[in-house]
Structures are given as C-alpha cells and as structure tokens.
Amino acid sequence: MEMTLYLLKTLNIKIMSKEHVSHSDIAEFAKDKVNLPKEKADEYRAQVQRLREKLEGYISEHPDFTLKKMILSGSLAKGTALKSLNDIDVACYISGAEAPKDIQALLEYLAERLRKAFPNFKPEQVKPKTYSVTVSFIGSGLDVDIVPILYSGDPNWYGDLVSQDDGSFLKTCIPRHIEFINKRKKKQEKHFSQVIRLAKHWVQFLKSENEHFRFKSFMVELIMAKLLDNGKDFSDYPEALQEFFTYLAKSDLKELIAFTDYYSLSSIGSHSEPVRIIDPVNADNNAAKQYAIQQAKAIVEAAIDAGDAIDAAMAAPTKKETIYYWQKVFGPSFQI
C-alpha cells in the first residue's frame, strides 16, 4: 500500500512538472535563447564557403601552393552551435616540407599565404593569434579562426593539428569528427544535437558565474555520444538532461569513455590522467588530459546541483517555483 502511494506521488510530481515546465517549454526556450538561428548559421556557412571557393580557385591556378584544403570545423560544422557564437572554427591543411614546425612561425607562414590567396583582404584582416590565424569580415563583424593542420597526404585527411588547449601538435581528422557526430544525429534526429546545446548552455551559465569553471564542448559532446550509444532516449529534454547530470554524478568522471568507430578499444594506450575521454578519431589522445582532479570535482558537483534543481522543479507545486529551480540550471534567461 505504501509503495503504491509512493508510486502515485511520484507520478503526480511528474505530471505537475510537465504541466508547469514541459518538454515543449524547454524546446521553445532552446529555440529562443540557446540555439544559433538557422538563418545565422546559413549566413556563417556561406561566408566560410566563399573562403573555401577562393582558396580552391587559387590552388587550381597555383598547384604547388602549400595550403591544400579548408574545412569548416567546431560547433557550426557539427550543428551544436549556441546563439552566442561569435567566431567560426576552420581547419586549414598545409602540406610541404618547408612549413615551419615552430607554432608561431607556422602561424605567420599561414597568415602570409592566406593574404596571397585572398588579396582583397587588408593585412589587418588576417592576424596570427596564439594558436590560430583570425580572418575578420569587416561587413558582418564575424571572425573566422583558421587553425593550421600539417598534412602529409593521408587519403582520410588525417593531419597534425595545433591544439587549442596547449599549442602542441595533435593527430586529428576533421572529416571523421564531423562524421562521428552526424552518425549519432541520424539515430535521434534533432534531439541529440539539441540536448548537447542545452548542456553547453548550462556550462556557459556556470562559466559566467565562475571564471575558473572548465568543461569544454568536445567533452560534453563525447559524454552525450556515450549516453546515446548506451541506448539513452533524448526525446524528452528534461529527462535527457537529468540522465546527463546523473551520469556525471554516478561516474564521478572516473569511467573511461571511448568509441570504436575508427579504432578498437584494445588500441587505446595507457592514460593515467584523472579524467579519460578518448578522442574518437585518435586513440592516443585523451580529450580531457588537461583536467586535474579539482576541475573534475567541480564538474561533478555542478552536475549534482543541476540534477537536484531538476528534481526540485519536478516536485514544485507552482509554476513560479518550477521556473525558479530551472533558472538554477540555465540562469535568469530561462523564462516561459
């Protein structure tokens, strides 16, 4: 009898939560406050496409030119970009033995050749930064961050990327990274990428509250990919987010996360770091290798707080109180 009452109480809590803040309410919030609008995404992709076409035209006229390919990368390429996006990531493949191996020299080398390929750009529109070269569009105010990849002719477009974490060279494959995400998007169309964007918005809110909080987007994407591969359903956004937070809390970020799309698990090397989230295209790269125990603990504690807030929202008797708890997850921008 007591168990029956408990089950009825739990059911009523969930009904109340759906009544006050439902899946469709979260979806509408994402559309208005979280997602990069489609027209903006299309505009940004078109600008990158124009850069690619100009480079391809220059290459056709100068076949010995060392810049070989530009590929849109990052969140815009994967369809996980947030509304706050203010720059675009593009990988630029560079071949040739004369390309410098020193990072700063390589960036100057890339900038010089970009100016040759795009003579209409003013010199100040093409600027080397710490680990990339930024191309600025004066009209739109948009910045394109071009990251060099040293390329040796691999047919799958593997190359050595300048890591944005520490400037080291890192073996990667941009087409396969995009293919990896697209494969999972097809399994749960719309929902997989949408829950990633909601989780990234949560991270963004935490960073606005604490400048020392770290949880990079690539790690969020890979954790979500592992949950999807394990059979989790992303079609109900409050429940999918709770699954994400519960996984972080239960695993304590100590479980190995890896994939077999492009290599076997037996090929994964020894990774002794506190957090081990292995790059799906490079078994030797731990995407979380820069994260110390205290940083992992901060992520887990934040996930526990977010999970508790969602539980409280589900149990809240009024809409006002429900919104109050959801704001603990998404910040004051959450309004319905």
Side-chain angles (χ1 to χ4, degrees):
M1 180 67 176
E2 288 183 1
M3 181 57 71
T4 301
L5 289 173
Y6 171 77
L7 289 172
L8 286 171
K9 181 181 177 183
T10 302
L11 179 61
N12 285 335
I13 286 171
K14 289 194 174 184
I15 290 173
M16 281 195 296
S17 74
K18 301 296 183 184
E19 180 182 347
H20 295 317
V21 174
S22 66
H23 160 81
S24 60
D25 290 323
I26 300 294
E28 192 65 24
F29 164 71
K31 179 182 176 182
D32 292 342
K33 302 293 185 180
V34 176
N35 301 345
L36 180 68
K38 183 180 183 302
E39 59 271 19
K40 277 291 181 185
D42 290 343
E43 176 189 341
Y44 295 163
R45 291 190 181 100
Q47 286 190 316
V48 173
Q49 182 60 29
R50 287 193 288 273
L51 280 179
R52 291 180 59 183
E53 290 171 354
K54 286 182 181 179
L55 178 62
E56 289 167 0
Y58 191 88
I59 291 172
S60 66
E61 296 173 2
H62 306 81
D64 295 331
F65 194 59
T66 54
L67 304 191
K68 295 301 181 184
K69 191 179 186 70
M70 295 178 77
I71 301 178
L72 180 66
S73 60
S75 62
L76 186 61
K78 298 173 186 175
T80 61
L82 300 184
K83 190 172 186 176
S84 56
L85 181 77
N86 55 16
D87 54 34
I88 297 171
D89 295 324
V90 173
C92 186
Y93 285 78
I94 304 173
S95 68
E98 74 275 14
K101 302 301 185 286
D102 174 78
I103 299 299
Q104 290 308 309
L106 177 61
L107 293 173
E108 292 290 350
Y109 178 92
L110 173 58
E112 178 187 342
R113 276 148 186 78
L114 287 171
R115 292 185 187 113
K116 285 184 178 179
F118 311 129
N120 291 335
F121 282 102
K122 298 177 181 178
E124 60 269 23
Q125 287 181 258
V126 183
K127 290 184 178 180
K129 297 292 182 66
T130 306
Y131 300 132
S132 62
V133 174
T134 297
V135 174
S136 300
F137 288 88
I138 294 176
S140 65
L142 185 70
D143 286 344
V144 176
D145 287 335
I146 300 181
V147 180
I149 296 180
L150 295 179
Y151 176 63
S152 300
D154 182 271
N156 293 312
W157 293 94
Y158 272 90
D160 292 321
L161 168 81
V162 175
S163 169
Q164 299 297 286
D165 288 332
D166 58 9
S168 62
F169 283 106
L170 173 67
K171 182 181 178 183
T172 194
C173 180
I174 303 301
R176 283 187 168 179
H177 270 154
I178 297 170
E179 182 182 67
F180 173 86
I181 292 294
N182 285 343
K183 178 181 176 182
R184 284 151 181 85
K185 286 167 67 176
K186 289 178 181 177
K187 290 181 179 179
Q188 293 197 36
E189 191 174 359
K190 293 196 310 182
H191 301 313
F192 176 65
S193 54
Q194 182 60 82
V195 176
I196 287 175
R197 289 192 292 269
L198 286 165
K200 286 168 64 174
H201 184 80
W202 166 70
V203 171
Q204 189 177 72
F205 168 59
L206 291 175
K207 288 180 177 179
S208 73
E209 296 285 297
N210 177 5
E211 63 180 7
H212 301 295
F213 184 80
R214 294 180 63 203
F215 195 3
K216 66 181 178 181
S217 296
F218 190 34
M219 291 166 57
V220 172
E221 291 168 354
L222 295 183
I223 293 169
M224 289 292 190
K226 179 52 65 177
L227 291 176
L228 183 138
D229 288 358
N230 289 344
K232 300 301 181 184
D233 182 7
F234 285 39
S235 62
D236 185 289
Y237 297 158
E239 291 182 13
L241 286 168
Q242 189 65 294
E243 290 276 7
F244 174 67
F245 296 135
T246 299
Y247 174 79
L248 292 173
K250 286 186 174 179
S251 70
D252 206 26
L253 271 180
K254 292 180 180 178
E255 292 182 0
L256 173 70
I257 293 177
F259 304 88
T260 57
D261 296 52
Y262 305 110
Y263 54 76
S264 64
L265 293 180
S266 61
S267 67
I268 298 174
S270 175
H271 296 280
S272 59
E273 298 88 358
V275 185
R276 296 167 300 154
I277 303 177
I278 311 304
D279 186 335
V281 307
N282 178 0
D284 294 326
N285 176 39
N286 176 10
K289 65 183 177 182
Q290 301 290 330
Y291 285 69
I293 292 174
Q294 284 304 112
Q295 291 166 325
K297 184 179 178 182
I299 293 171
V300 171
E301 289 177 350
I304 292 171
D305 289 344
D308 287 347
I310 293 177
D311 284 341
M314 294 180 78
T318 66
K319 182 174 182 178
K320 181 178 179 181
E321 193 174 347
T322 304
I323 292 173
Y324 166 79
Y325 285 114
W326 274 108
Q327 287 179 337
K328 288 183 173 293
V329 180
F330 292 130
S333 66
F334 184 83
Q335 299 286 345
I336 61 168

